[in-house]
Amino acid sequence: MNERLSGRKVIVTGAGSGMGRAIARRFAAEGAAVAVLDLNAESAQETTALIATDGGTARAVAVDVSDARSVDAAVAESSQALGGVDTLVNNAGILDGYAPLLDTSEELWDRILGVDLKSLFLMTRATLPLMLESGAGTVINMSSIAGFVARGGGAAYTSAKHGVIGFTKQLSADYGRAGIRANAICPGAVETSMTRQILAEGDAAVIESINAVPAGRHAQPEEIANLALFLASEESAFVHGAAYVIDGGWTIV
């Protein structure tokens, strides 16, 4: 590795598994000190142990990203452990089982929007002052192809992921001149436990569209981590408010 993130202090949410774990490990391998945040404390510890085995620096922190008090406490702990925060990856997310509107309860709507959208507001609100104080920072938000098209999820998930892109653009517009870069990643099907859930819950048309992508396969979590690394590094210094689709061609067919 080239240590493109040497000296960086990074928070990654949902880092106990899947894409979040891959991002945390890649960032640590590139020289960053990483706070591994996850609702599942044991999973966060597992990611931290993997990073330590790789020779990296990490701290596991349990958090409910949909709860303001939990977020504020987790960011405070992370900042103290890392010596600050200059990069935030809002990766935590959950699925809605492809529920259409009339099958979406208020409880499900609130849960999906809380984890998949409100969490970005809470996490960024808690970390942004630390970035502004140092005059620079990077926020990477995990959206989805469901942020662009329908049938990538149900009513709640699709609404939340569209909201992630809007939030990212507004954040960039509001704070870009203050040294803050905000961008979004929009994956298609990635080989994770969530993908297996999609295949189990999605209807036949959704499953067919996933399996028919021009790339002929699902993405690996490490491929999403590669894009996140680019957006966190100085190589993307002129990239502001962008939403990068990485879907193997799903949305062009």
Side-chain angles (χ1 to χ4, degrees):
M1 299 299 179
N2 296 318
E3 295 207 346
R4 284 175 280 177
L5 301 183
S6 179
R8 297 285 282 275
K9 304 156 187 175
V10 181
I11 288 177
V12 183
T13 68
S17 61
M19 294 185 296
R21 173 173 287 180
I23 291 169
R25 293 185 71 181
R26 185 62 192 277
F27 280 27
E30 292 285 349
V34 182
V36 176
L37 271 61
D38 203 278
L39 181 63
N40 187 320
E42 183 177 347
S43 295
Q45 290 286 359
E46 290 173 358
T47 299
T48 301
L50 289 169
I51 290 173
T53 299
D54 294 338
T57 300
R59 171 70 170 262
V61 180
V63 65
D64 177 353
V65 292
S66 67
D67 180 81
R69 289 186 179 180
S70 181
V71 165
D72 290 345
V75 170
E77 180 179 344
S78 299
S79 178
Q80 183 176 15
L82 302 180
V85 177
D86 52 44
T87 304
L88 170 65
V89 182
N90 284 311
N91 167 76
I94 56 175
L95 297 170
D96 63 357
Y98 283 83
L101 178 62
L102 294 182
D103 294 333
T104 301
S105 65
E106 184 176 1
E107 179 183 14
L108 177 61
W109 178 273
D110 289 345
R111 182 165 178 258
I112 297 298
L113 270 290
V115 175
D116 291 357
L117 184 57
K118 180 184 177 183
S119 68
L120 276 66
F121 161 68
L122 295 177
M123 288 295 307
T124 308
R125 183 181 66 173
T127 55
L128 189 59
L130 301 172
M131 299 181 189
L132 290 172
E133 186 177 345
S134 64
T138 302
V139 179
I140 300 170
N141 297 319
M142 197 62 67
S143 183
S144 163
I145 60 162
F148 287 99
V149 299
R151 302 190 68 79
Y157 185 82
T158 299
S159 298
K161 293 304 184 179
H162 272 69
V164 169
I165 294 175
F167 176 82
T168 301
K169 291 180 177 180
Q170 190 62 47
L171 185 63
S172 182
D174 288 341
Y175 296 102
R177 289 183 178 272
I180 307 301
R181 292 196 303 112
N183 293 288
I185 297 176
C186 306
V190 184
E191 188 63 43
T192 67
S193 58
M194 284 186 68
T195 302
R196 289 188 286 274
Q197 187 177 351
I198 288 174
L199 293 174
E201 297 176 351
D203 61 29
V206 172
I207 294 172
E208 181 180 359
S209 67
I210 292 174
N211 291 332
V213 297
R217 63 177 178 84
H218 295 177
Q220 295 301 306
E222 292 75 17
E223 293 176 297
I224 310 303
N226 290 340
L227 178 53
L229 173 62
F230 166 71
L231 292 174
S233 73
E234 289 304 310
E235 295 168 15
S236 62
F238 200 60
V239 181
H240 285 250
Y244 279 77
V245 174
I246 177 168
D247 68 350
W250 183 352
T251 53
I252 66 171
V253 296

